[in-house]
Amino acid sequence: TISSEFVGRKNEITSILTVAKEAIKFHSDARLLFVTGDSGSGKSTLVVHAMDQIRKLINKGRKRHRVTKHICRESDVLVPFSIFRSVLPDILQDIELQAEEGTPISTSRHSQSGIETLDWDCFSRYSAHSKVSTFSKESSCCSADKMVRLKNVLGELDAPDEFINLIGYHLLGWESETINIECDEDQRKNHNIASSINFMVKVFQRCTRHAHFIVLALDDVHLMDEVSWHVVLRLFHTVRNLLIICTSRTLTSYKLALEADDWTDLNTKYKENGRFVHIELNRLKKDDVRSMIAKRLALDENEIDDSFHNDVYTQSRGMPAFANEILRSACRRNNIERQGNNKVGWKGADRGKGELTPASVGGIIVHRLDTFTRTVRTILDLGAVLGTSFDLADIINVTNRTADCPFEDKEENSQKIHDALDFLVNEGILVEVCLGGDVEGEHYIENDLRAEPSPSSLKKDHVFQDKTYTFCHDIWRASILSLMLESRKKRIHKFIASSLQAQTKKCNTDYMSLMKIWNHLTAAGERTQAADVALAVGKSFEGLGMYEQSVKLYEDTLGLWRAGPESVDSDAIEIGGFRSSVLEGMNRIELEYTIRIFVSIGKALANLHNGSDSVVAYQNALQIMQVAPSARLIRDRSILFPIFSGLFLALKYGQIEQDDDCLYEQDLVRRFVTEAKLYGDPVHYARALSMQAEMFGRLEKFPQAFAAFEELASVYEAEKHSDAISKAYGSDRAAQCFAISALWYIQLDDMEAAVEMCEFIFEHLMPKMNLRNVHNSALLIYPTIWVMKSQNRCS
C-alpha cells in the first residue's frame, strides 16, 4: 500500500519515472533500475511510490502490462534459478490450459492483471515465499496445474519433454501426480546450464508476449544466485519494453553474484546510453524528518518542537524506517504532548528518559519485546531463526517437533500460534500475505506456547489458511537474534532442519528444500549432516552441468571446518585452508567427508577444464590423508581411489610437472594398485591396473606394461564392470586400456597383434558398452582408428 507518511526522495522518484517512460516507448530496449541503500533507508517504500506514478502513466496510455516479482532470501544464493520459483509460476498463469488436444494456447484472463491491482509492497510480500507451502493441502493440485501449463509452453516451443521434470521438478521443486515423464541421468547431462538459461528466457518471452510493458521487480538482489543473474541479464539484452527493478543493500557490504565484466558493462556502456540507472539512497535530510513527524502526528511543521525534531533525527540517523519506529513507539507509550509554547514535543516529565534520549532504535525494540507475552516472544524467536520470511505451516510444523502432546492439544496450540502471529501483524512487526493453501490445525502441536493471546474454541476439523509472514524491517529480526543465546539459536536451527527433513519428500532432487536444510544444519553446527546434503546437491548440480555452483557449495561446506578458532601459532602449516590443529582434532567421519568434498571439487574443476586448480584439490585431499591422525581409522580405503585417478589424468595431460624418471607418478600408481588390491573390489582394481599399464606404456617400459595389462585382462569383465567403472571414474578406463595396448603393438612393429586387439574390441567390448556414454565410446574407438588406418581398413 502507499504510505501517507512518505517524504523526500523527489530526485529519486524523478529518475525512476524517466527510466520508466523510456521503457514504455514502443519497441524500446529493456531498462534496469538498480536501487541500493543501507537497511532502513526506504528502498522498497521508494519503489512503491514510484510504481504508483508509473501506474498512472500506463493507465493514461491504456497499455496492457504485466508485473512479476520476487524477494530473495538468504538461502537463494546457492540455489540456481531461485527467483523463478515464484516468477515462473506467476507468468505461467497467463497461459490457458489446453482444453483438448490440438487447441492452441491462448492468453488467459490473467493477462490483464497489472499495476492497477499490484504494487511493490503487495507483490513483494507475496513473493517472499516462492511456492505454496509443502504442507499445504493445495500444493499438489497447484503443482499439477503448473506442470500442465509448463508442458503446454514446452510443446509450443518444441522443447523436449524431459525439460518438464528437469525444470519443473528438479529445479523448481514442483510435484505432479498427473505428469510422469522420466528424466534419467544421461538426459540431465545433455541439458547443461546454458540450455536451461536459454529455456527460461524463452518461457519468459512466451508468457509475457501479450503485454506492451513488463515489470520484473526483484528485492534484495544481493542474495540472488549467479544463474538467476545470467537469466536476468539475458532478458535485459533480448526483451523489449521491459523494466527490471532491483533493490539491494549497499555494495560495500555485499557482493553481487554477478560477473565482474557484466557489472562493468552496466556501469559504463549501458549507463551512458541510459539503459542502466543506479540510485544510491542516502539518509533523509533533517527537514524531511520534520515533514515525516508532521504527517505522522497530523500537524503543521511549524507546530513541532525543535528539540523533539532534533531527537528523532539524531536517534534515527536520518533513516526513514528507524524514524518511523521511534514515532510509533512514542505514540504507543503516550510520550508526546502539546507544550506551553503551543509546540508538540516530549512530555516534560519524560524528557531524557529511555527512548527520549538519543538512544538506539535497537534499544526501543528491546523495550517493546519485553512487553510481549511468552507465546509472542517464542513465535518471534522461531520466525527470526527461520528467516526474513516464513510460513504459518512451516512454523507450526517446526514447533510440532519440540515435544509430544495429546491429540486434543494440537488444535489449541496451533490456534495460539495463529493468534500470536495476528497480534504481531497488528503491531506492525510482521506483514502477512495469504498464499491460498490450507493448514489443518489438528496436524500440528506446540507444547511451549502457553501464554496469551488465548486460543478461541475450535472444532476438531478446524483449518487455517496458509500464509507467509515477513518481518516489516530487518532491524526487528536482527534485534531478536542478538538477544538469543547461541545455544538456543542452534537448537532451533536443528529442530527446523529435522522438521524439513521429515516433511520434504524426494529431497535429493528438490534443490530449494535441500538448501534450506543445508543452511539450518550449518547454523546448527551439524557439519557432517550439512556435508552429506552438500554432496547430494552438488552431484545433482553437476548432472545439470552446473559445476561452478557445485564448487561454490563444496567450498562453503568446507568452510564449516576451516572457520575454527584462530591458531596461536602464526607459522602453523595449512593444507587446503585447514590448519594442522584443525586436522588433528578431526574425527574419522569428519575427515571422510572432508576428503570426499575435496575429491568432488577436483572432479568439478576438471570438468570446467580448470586442470591446475583440480590438481590442487586432489593433492590437498592426499596430503590431508597423510597428516590427519584419524586417517588410520578409515577402513574404507576406496575414498583414496578417485584421488589417484584424478592425479594420474593430470599427469597424463601434463598438468603436473615431474622429473625425467616420473618417480612421482610411479609412486602414485604403485600406491593405487596396492590399496585397490587390498580393498578387493575388481572395479577399482581394474582401474588401478589400467592406470599402471598405461603409465608403463607411456614410459616405453613395455614388458611391465603388458604384465599389468595381462593382470587387468584376467580381472576385467565388461558386462559386470563397465558401468560401475564409468560411474566411479567418469568412463571405462579399463576398456580403454585394451585400445591403448594396440598402440603399444604398433611401437613394437607387431601389426598383426595390433589388428587382432582392435577386432577383439569391436567384437567383444563395444557391444557391451553403454552407447549413451559417448565420451567413453570415443576414447575406446579413437586408438583403433590409427591402427586400422595404417592397414587401410578404416572403411
Side-chain angles (χ1 to χ4, degrees):
T1 57
I2 304 300
S3 172
S4 60
E5 297 166 19
F6 181 77
V7 297
R9 310 300 193 198
K10 293 181 179 179
N11 293 337
E12 290 85 352
I13 291 287
T14 300
S15 296
I16 295 173
L17 289 177
T18 301
V19 174
K21 288 176 182 178
E22 292 299 318
I24 293 172
K25 290 181 180 179
F26 177 72
H27 212 58
S28 175
D29 289 330
R31 262 64 178 175
L32 199 160
L33 177 66
F34 200 84
V35 181
T36 58
D38 289 322
S39 177
S41 59
K43 300 181 292 295
S44 297
T45 305
L46 169 68
V47 176
V48 169
H49 285 264
M51 291 294 289
D52 184 50
Q53 299 298 317
I54 295 172
R55 177 202 303 136
K56 296 174 182 177
L57 287 176
I58 296 172
N59 289 341
K60 184 177 180 180
R62 297 183 177 275
K63 292 181 178 291
R64 287 182 299 177
H65 49 279
R66 187 65 169 92
V67 180
T68 189
K69 62 285 178 181
H70 180 79
I71 291 182
C72 301
R73 290 179 164 186
E74 297 98 323
S75 57
D76 286 358
V77 178
L78 295 175
V79 181
F81 300 105
S82 60
I83 70 169
F84 292 95
R85 289 178 72 101
S86 57
V87 170
L88 188 56
D90 184 33
I91 60 177
L92 280 171
Q93 293 182 77
D94 292 352
I95 302 296
E96 286 283 11
L97 297 178
Q98 293 184 351
E100 55 186 81
E101 188 174 357
T103 303
I105 302 175
S106 60
T107 302
S108 75
R109 60 184 176 84
H110 295 285
S111 64
Q112 301 302 321
S113 68
I115 302 177
E116 66 271 9
T117 58
L118 294 172
D119 57 50
W120 175 271
D121 184 61
C122 173
F123 61 62
S124 319
R125 301 307 178 189
Y126 175 88
S127 302
H129 189 62
S130 58
K131 64 183 179 71
V132 176
S133 171
T134 306
F135 317 117
S136 167
K137 294 173 70 175
E138 285 190 8
S139 60
S140 178
C141 175
C142 292
S143 295
D145 179 73
K146 296 171 192 172
M147 292 287 266
V148 172
R149 294 177 187 272
L150 180 60
K151 184 180 179 182
N152 289 345
V153 175
L154 286 168
E156 185 174 301
L157 297 175
D158 294 324
D161 285 341
E162 55 266 21
F163 253 116
I164 297 178
N165 275 0
L166 177 68
I167 302 297
Y169 180 73
H170 295 296
L171 291 179
L172 303 181
W174 298 345
E175 294 185 22
S176 172
E177 298 176 357
T178 60
I179 300 176
N180 184 22
I181 298 176
E182 295 296 329
C183 181
D184 61 27
E185 191 69 21
D186 291 311
Q187 288 173 320
R188 291 171 69 190
K189 286 183 179 180
N190 289 334
H191 300 291
N192 56 30
I193 191 68
S195 62
S196 298
I197 290 172
N198 186 55
F199 163 80
M200 285 294 188
V201 172
K202 287 184 177 180
V203 170
F204 187 94
Q205 291 172 320
R206 167 60 188 89
C207 293
T208 59
R209 70 184 185 188
H210 63 282
H212 296 141
F213 178 57
I214 309 158
V215 177
L216 173 60
L218 305 171
D219 203 2
D220 292 337
V221 297
H222 56 282
L223 302 175
M224 191 161 79
D225 69 279
E226 182 181 4
V227 179
S228 291
W229 269 116
H230 283 306
V231 180
V232 169
L233 289 179
R234 283 284 303 279
L235 294 174
F236 174 74
H237 292 303
T238 59
V239 178
R240 301 285 186 179
N241 299 110
L242 170 66
L243 175 60
I244 303 170
I245 303 176
C246 299
T247 69
S248 169
R249 296 283 182 86
T250 55
L251 301 184
T252 55
S253 303
Y254 292 85
K255 182 180 179 181
L256 299 178
L258 183 64
E259 295 287 346
D261 290 344
D262 291 328
W263 182 246
T264 299
D265 287 344
L266 289 173
N267 283 277
T268 53
K269 178 170 62 176
Y270 296 109
K271 183 178 181 179
E272 291 171 2
N273 64 19
R275 292 186 58 196
F276 175 77
V277 175
H278 184 185
I279 297 175
E280 178 74 35
L281 291 188
N282 298 312
R283 299 176 182 181
L284 290 176
K285 297 177 181 178
K286 195 169 183 178
D287 288 344
D288 291 331
V289 174
R290 179 182 287 274
S291 298
M292 178 184 288
I293 296 172
K295 288 188 175 183
R296 177 75 184 182
L297 302 180
L299 301 170
D300 289 333
E301 292 186 17
N302 58 12
E303 295 181 85
I304 300 170
D305 180 68
D306 289 341
S307 62
F308 177 69
H309 170 215
N310 186 66
D311 281 351
V312 174
Y313 178 75
T314 302
Q315 291 178 35
S316 67
R317 304 189 303 277
M319 304 299 275
F322 299 168
N324 183 61
E325 184 58 39
I326 291 169
L327 292 171
R328 288 186 59 163
S329 179
C331 292
R332 186 182 303 106
R333 298 172 64 183
N334 195 28
N335 289 330
I336 304 173
E337 67 176 5
R338 189 172 291 276
Q339 301 170 346
N341 59 1
N342 206 31
K343 301 282 186 177
V344 173
W346 301 119
K347 284 185 175 180
D350 290 331
R351 184 72 177 95
K353 295 182 180 179
E355 67 196 66
L356 310 184
T357 63
S360 67
V361 177
I364 297 174
I365 289 175
V366 170
H367 180 274
R368 191 171 172 194
L369 289 172
D370 288 339
T371 66
F372 293 159
T373 64
R374 183 186 178 191
T375 300
V376 174
R377 284 293 303 271
T378 303
I379 293 300
L380 281 173
D381 286 351
L382 293 172
V385 173
L386 275 165
T388 53
S389 302
F390 55 89
D391 295 335
L392 172 62
D394 292 342
I395 202 167
I396 292 179
N397 273 277
V398 170
T399 57
N400 183 41
R401 308 188 70 82
T402 60
D404 294 325
C405 279
F407 173 81
E408 290 76 17
D409 287 344
K410 294 182 179 180
E411 295 177 357
E412 178 181 343
N413 286 304
S414 296
Q415 183 65 50
K416 283 183 178 180
I417 295 170
H418 190 269
D419 290 347
L421 289 167
D422 282 346
F423 169 78
L424 291 168
V425 170
N426 291 332
E427 286 289 302
I429 298 170
L430 298 178
V431 177
E432 76 170 38
V433 174
C434 176
L435 291 179
D438 292 332
V439 181
E440 296 188 15
E442 64 182 40
H443 285 178
Y444 309 102
I445 176 176
E446 211 312 287
N447 191 43
D448 195 37
L449 306 180
R450 302 191 181 279
E452 295 180 355
S454 301
S456 59
S457 59
L458 299 173
K459 297 180 180 180
K460 190 172 183 178
D461 60 349
H462 184 82
V463 174
F464 297 113
Q465 192 172 35
D466 196 13
K467 302 172 184 177
T468 283
Y469 294 87
T470 302
F471 283 95
C472 69
H473 198 274
D474 286 343
I475 192 172
W476 272 100
R477 181 173 179 243
S479 298
I480 293 165
L481 290 175
S482 68
L483 294 173
M484 295 173 64
L485 294 174
E486 287 299 318
S487 58
R488 174 165 170 75
K489 283 190 280 190
K490 287 186 176 182
R491 187 169 65 254
I492 294 175
H493 277 297
K494 189 172 181 179
F495 279 134
I496 293 171
S498 176
S499 176
L500 291 173
Q501 286 173 321
Q503 295 291 341
T504 303
K505 298 179 180 179
K506 301 179 182 179
C507 62
N508 61 316
T509 49
D510 181 1
Y511 303 144
M512 184 68 79
S513 298
L514 271 175
M515 289 313 303
K516 282 185 181 179
I517 294 170
W518 182 85
N519 275 289
H520 288 298
L521 287 173
T522 56
E526 298 292 329
R527 296 180 292 196
T528 56
Q529 291 187 53
D532 197 47
V533 173
L535 287 167
V537 176
K539 184 177 180 180
S540 295
F541 283 175
E542 291 165 19
L544 297 173
M546 296 186 291
Y547 297 107
E548 292 179 352
Q549 287 70 34
S550 66
V551 170
K552 172 70 170 139
L553 176 57
Y554 295 146
E555 288 287 355
D556 284 1
T557 304
L558 287 177
L560 299 177
W561 281 281
R562 288 170 175 159
E566 292 295 329
S567 173
V568 295
D569 183 5
S570 59
D571 297 326
I573 298 174
E574 284 197 3
I575 302 174
F578 288 83
R579 295 187 300 274
S580 56
S581 58
V582 174
L583 297 176
E584 290 169 3
M586 277 189 176
N587 61 39
R588 176 184 60 82
I589 296 175
E590 290 178 321
L591 180 60
E592 286 182 349
Y593 274 111
T594 299
I595 298 302
R596 288 174 60 192
I597 292 173
F598 267 116
V599 168
S600 297
I601 291 173
K603 289 180 178 179
L605 290 171
N607 283 308
L608 287 170
H609 306 291
N610 188 346
S612 58
D613 288 342
S614 175
V615 168
V616 171
Y618 285 128
Q619 289 178 333
N620 285 336
L622 198 57
Q623 284 183 275
I624 288 173
M625 280 292 290
Q626 294 169 338
V627 171
S630 57
R632 67 180 186 276
L633 302 177
I634 297 178
R635 295 182 179 180
D636 184 2
R637 309 300 291 182
S638 65
I639 195 172
L640 292 167
F641 301 162
I643 303 174
F644 294 139
S645 181
L647 289 175
F648 176 75
L649 290 175
L651 285 162
K652 178 179 177 180
Y653 295 115
Q655 294 167 344
I656 300 177
E657 293 185 7
Q658 56 180 330
D659 58 275
D660 294 337
D661 295 327
C662 300
L663 295 179
Y664 175 81
E665 182 178 6
Q666 292 190 55
D667 179 65
L668 188 75
V669 172
R670 178 188 57 77
R671 291 178 59 187
F672 189 10
V673 172
T674 301
E675 293 279 2
K677 189 173 184 178
L678 288 172
Y679 188 68
D681 187 336
V683 169
H684 298 296
Y685 189 41
R687 171 62 183 123
L689 288 170
S690 67
M691 181 188 295
Q692 186 179 54
E694 189 175 341
M695 178 196 68
F696 283 133
R698 194 169 66 256
L699 297 177
E700 297 185 356
K701 297 182 179 182
F702 295 116
Q704 295 95 319
F706 280 112
F709 176 71
E710 288 174 6
E711 179 71 8
L712 168 64
S714 68
V715 171
Y716 176 74
E717 297 180 48
E719 62 274 11
K720 292 183 179 181
H721 305 144
S722 181
D723 286 341
I725 294 174
S726 295
K727 183 177 181 180
Y729 298 100
S731 62
D732 188 352
R733 304 290 180 180
Q736 294 159 24
C737 189
F738 282 78
I740 293 172
S741 70
L743 300 179
W744 304 338
Y745 285 119
I746 292 180
Q747 289 179 273
L748 295 173
D749 294 327
D750 191 347
M751 294 304 302
E752 182 178 350
V755 172
E756 183 179 339
M757 179 58 69
C758 292
E759 291 175 345
F760 175 82
I761 292 169
F762 299 147
E763 295 175 8
H764 299 284
L765 293 185
M766 279 304 299
K768 298 173 183 176
M769 297 293 108
N770 184 348
L771 296 181
R772 289 181 299 181
N773 191 336
V774 179
H775 177 259
N776 179 63
S777 298
L779 291 177
L780 182 57
I781 292 174
Y782 185 72
T784 66
I785 295 175
W786 290 96
V787 177
M788 304 309 283
K789 182 179 180 181
S790 67
Q791 299 299 302
N792 295 320
R793 295 178 60 177
C794 279
S795 60

